[in-house]
Amino acid sequence: MIPISLLIALMLGFGVDAPAGSPADVPGALARIAGAGAAVVAAAFALGLGTAWKVRRDGSASSRTQRTLGIGSRLIAVATLAVYGWMVHGWGWSGIVNDAWGWRGSVLADDVLVIAPFLAMQLLAWWGTFYGERAVMGLPTTHPGRRVARHLYLKERRSLALVLPIVAVFVVRNDVIDRLWPSWRGWEWAEPAELIVLGSAILAASPLFIRMAWPTRPLGDGPLRRKLEEIAGRSGFHCSEILIWDTDHMMVNACVTGVLPGLRYVLLSDALIDSLPPGEIAAVFGHEIGHVAHRHLPYILFFLVGFLVLLTAGSSAFSGLEEWFAGLTTVDPTSPTALLDAAEALLVALGFGASFWVVFGALSRRLERQADVYGCKAVSCGSPDCPPHFEFEGLMDEPDRPIAAVCPVGVRIFAAALADVARLNGIPAAARSWRHGSIASRIEFLSGLVESPTREPAFQRQIRRFRLGLAAGLLAALGAVGAASWMGVAG
């Protein structure tokens, strides 16, 4: 649920220094910015309307059509980021906002205007691809999700809860701190310190934003709630509330938010509740508990903040890019040009993006599989030879029964839930996912645990080594940057 695109856009807009001053030809720059944005939006509408036409022609959405829509949507998201990055660093958008239009030093308004082209392109791209998504899902004409306005409204509400905390960080950093403590910026480690403090505050308070922005309601008392509460009790899991997430039955999904037990929610979408049998819902609920049981949320915060701190604290390492670039051209490194600044920003952004994509993707896929295993355990009886398999109703006589080891029936229940979620969301089982991996590969991995019970402890050890190694590498890199900075100051 992390808005990766927004994080990258904020880094492009505010984390990497843009060219100083406004471009000489402001009207021309604005025309190029508008034209590039319109091209991205046109591509999104072409993809969405083209997909809808194919579905109408064929009578249903084939797996190839679904795959094309998914790949096309991801490419449009990448193009949106690339175009926005060039707007800021190639065509001087931030300079136009701050200098040509005179918004520099204003509270919040300058930040909103700088990020506005990305948000506008993203919203209009959602509008364009919506027609293809609607056709692939085969929604009836009476379904409220068929209305564009309703779709964009709910999507904006979902995004708002994730966007507001991050925007709050940038507002506090760029406006409040500078105004109240202007000398604070003189400290070299001021920005990394801000990221650590504000990032931790966001993770703690994010459940409040989600509860306010997302349309939710408590799951009513009944057999399903009692079943989920039994699983939570067996897991030692505590949350403020189990919520039904109203999506107009457009999304089959679930999530958990909050690192503090007193401020934590589990959200199950309305379509998930109505479409999956109770056993599969319990398995999905167990998957979300797994993220908390294995402390994935604080670890992801540590990784994201650590990576951003490493980038900002190590920004001096990029100072040599000007000299390097000048050696390839006739540009004077003491007199940077817009081209030089744009090339430097592009290299920094590409290096950050590639590193983040590879490392965070590998981490996220492993954590998802670890949560998958926990989801299987949540509905397992612990016997490698089952069936017979215990029924959930029987747990009422054993309320303290702990989460068991993986059993064949538990794996089948969770695998069926994964397959149903993919089918109902129109996702091909073999479709690759950067953060989650394909459904087919996840099911294959879980099936292997049943065939060889020793794989599960080995897998858990592998995950622990990966997390410890990644943390040690990140801390070592931060230490090296800090030592280099200290030696530079001492020298």
Side-chain angles (χ1 to χ4, degrees), residues 106-462:
S106 62
V107 177
L108 185 60
D110 54 341
D111 299 325
V112 171
L113 287 172
V114 168
I115 199 67
F118 169 77
L119 298 177
M121 284 190 293
Q122 187 179 63
L123 178 64
L124 293 173
W126 286 343
W127 186 353
T129 55
F130 162 72
Y131 296 105
E133 296 170 3
R134 182 177 67 181
V136 166
M137 294 184 70
L139 299 178
T141 56
T142 57
H143 195 288
R146 287 184 60 87
R147 299 193 297 269
V148 174
R150 178 70 177 173
H151 170 78
L152 295 179
Y153 166 73
L154 289 178
K155 197 148 189 174
E156 278 299 327
R157 283 196 64 170
R158 289 196 296 270
S159 300
L160 189 64
L162 304 174
V163 169
L164 284 179
I166 299 172
V167 171
V169 166
F170 278 84
V171 170
V172 171
R173 287 182 57 228
N174 294 341
D175 296 324
V176 177
I177 292 179
D178 282 349
R179 289 174 182 272
L180 297 180
W181 301 284
S183 60
W184 169 256
R185 290 290 183 181
W187 184 40
E188 185 176 0
W189 286 84
E191 191 171 9
E194 293 166 10
L195 288 172
I196 293 173
V197 173
L198 295 174
S200 301
I202 279 180
L203 188 66
S206 60
L208 292 177
F209 287 92
I210 290 178
R211 186 72 192 272
M212 289 187 296
W214 289 6
T216 61
R217 50 192 165 89
L219 176 65
D221 189 26
L224 178 60
R225 185 179 182 98
R226 289 193 292 272
K227 183 178 299 184
L228 300 184
E229 289 175 343
E230 289 167 6
I231 291 176
R234 294 166 57 216
S235 307
F237 173 77
H238 303 282
C239 66
S240 302
E241 185 58 87
I242 303 172
L243 300 172
I244 298 178
W245 176 14
D246 290 316
T247 68
D248 279 346
H249 291 79
M250 289 286 291
M251 183 182 296
V252 182
N253 204 351
C255 69
V256 62
T257 177
V259 294
L260 303 176
L263 196 59
R264 178 185 296 150
Y265 301 101
V266 178
L267 292 87
L268 307 171
S269 73
D270 46 8
L272 181 101
I273 295 290
D274 293 341
S275 303
L276 268 60
E280 293 182 16
I281 296 173
V284 172
F285 183 75
H287 171 97
E288 302 305 328
I289 292 178
H291 285 304
V292 175
H294 292 296
R295 299 177 177 84
H296 291 170
L297 299 182
Y299 187 88
I300 289 175
L301 172 70
F302 159 76
F303 174 82
L304 291 177
V305 172
F307 203 88
L308 289 174
V309 168
L310 180 63
L311 181 69
T312 55
S315 58
S316 59
F318 298 106
S319 60
L321 286 173
E322 293 180 0
E323 289 77 5
W324 173 81
F325 188 78
L328 303 179
T329 67
T330 59
V331 176
D332 181 3
T334 63
S335 178
T337 65
L339 177 61
L340 178 61
D341 290 337
E344 179 181 345
L346 181 61
L347 287 172
V348 173
L350 287 176
F352 167 77
S355 302
F356 184 85
W357 185 275
V358 172
V359 178
F360 185 72
L363 171 66
S364 181
R365 290 190 296 272
R366 284 167 171 80
L367 298 187
E368 282 300 316
R369 288 197 175 187
Q370 194 174 34
D372 287 348
V373 173
Y374 204 94
C376 294
K377 289 182 177 181
V379 291
S380 289
C381 64
S383 172
D385 301 322
C386 76
H389 185 75
F390 73 80
E391 295 295 332
F392 281 104
E393 289 73 12
L395 288 178
M396 294 298 292
D397 300 328
E398 302 178 72
D400 297 327
R401 179 174 182 158
I403 290 292
V406 173
C407 76
V409 173
V411 169
R412 284 204 295 270
I413 292 172
F414 187 81
L418 282 177
D420 285 343
V421 168
R423 174 179 55 82
L424 293 168
N425 282 320
I427 302 173
R432 296 181 179 181
S433 170
W434 163 59
R435 286 190 54 209
H436 297 87
S438 70
I439 296 295
S441 66
R442 292 165 68 179
I443 292 176
E444 182 181 2
F445 167 76
L446 295 174
S447 300
L449 298 183
V450 175
E451 297 171 2
S452 178
T454 59
R455 288 185 182 180
E456 197 261 325
F459 166 73
Q460 299 292 355
R461 290 193 297 270
Q462 180 187 23

Side-chain angles (χ1 to χ4, degrees), residues 6-18:
L6 177 67
L7 287 175
I8 297 175
L10 290 172
M11 182 60 63
L12 291 172
F14 304 101
V16 181
D17 291 337

